[in-house]
Amino acid sequence: MNSLIKAVGLVLCVDQRLLLVRSQDQVAFYLPGGTIEPGETEQRALQREVAEELGVVLREPELLARYRTDAVGRGDGVQVDLACYTGAVDGEPVASAEIAELGWFTRAEYAEHRVTAPAIVELFADLDPGL
């Protein structure tokens, strides 16, 4: 069965590194964010998810890119439509809610992981080559 997950993610870079998180039920790191609840806009869903997962307030989210690809760890035929947003955050991100850990990665560091998310690999390829 084919299915599509509509999701949003925060692209936050500091010192040439991208913030990525890993939830307790996943092996791969991915962008902070998540799925859109009924009646939510993408921006509101991202603000809610970032507050829950990182304990920070997201201001002025702006769409950066959109990726549609296989959803890592969700089974065969499951794809993700990932809307990637930038924005400023108030506070220091910390792993909260279902997030087991967070880290700041360069493209090369992410590629060394045993399991990577195809959308994040594509995002790294589109970002500044220095990442």
Side-chain angles (χ1 to χ4, degrees):
M1 177 176 126
N2 291 341
S3 63
L4 180 67
I5 300 168
K6 293 185 67 74
V8 290
L10 175 63
V11 177
L12 184 62
C13 296
V14 174
D15 295 330
Q16 301 289 316
R17 293 176 178 276
L18 177 63
L19 176 64
L20 298 173
V21 298
R22 184 184 64 77
S23 67
Q24 296 169 0
D25 65 341
Q26 290 288 325
V27 174
F29 281 80
Y30 53 88
L31 293 176
T35 57
I36 303 164
E37 293 182 357
E40 277 187 320
T41 65
E42 288 181 349
Q43 295 89 346
R44 181 64 198 116
L46 183 60
Q47 289 171 318
R48 176 184 51 76
E49 288 283 354
V50 166
E52 290 172 4
E53 293 181 357
L54 302 179
V56 298
V57 174
L58 173 63
R59 293 181 288 110
E60 303 173 19
E62 292 186 27
L63 183 64
L64 173 69
R66 187 177 299 274
Y67 300 92
R68 185 171 176 162
T69 186
D70 292 334
V72 66
R74 301 294 181 187
D76 291 339
V78 179
Q79 291 208 314
V80 64
D81 177 5
L82 177 63
C84 300
Y85 283 80
T86 60
V89 296
D90 291 334
E92 185 68 30
V94 295
S96 303
E98 75 272 11
I99 301 303
E101 61 182 312
L102 59 79
W104 298 87
F105 297 89
T106 64
R107 183 179 183 182
E109 289 167 341
Y110 187 69
E112 291 175 4
H113 283 248
R114 180 172 59 87
V115 178
T116 58
I120 304 308
V121 172
E122 289 183 35
L123 172 63
F124 265 119
D126 290 343
L127 290 174
D128 180 65
L131 290 177

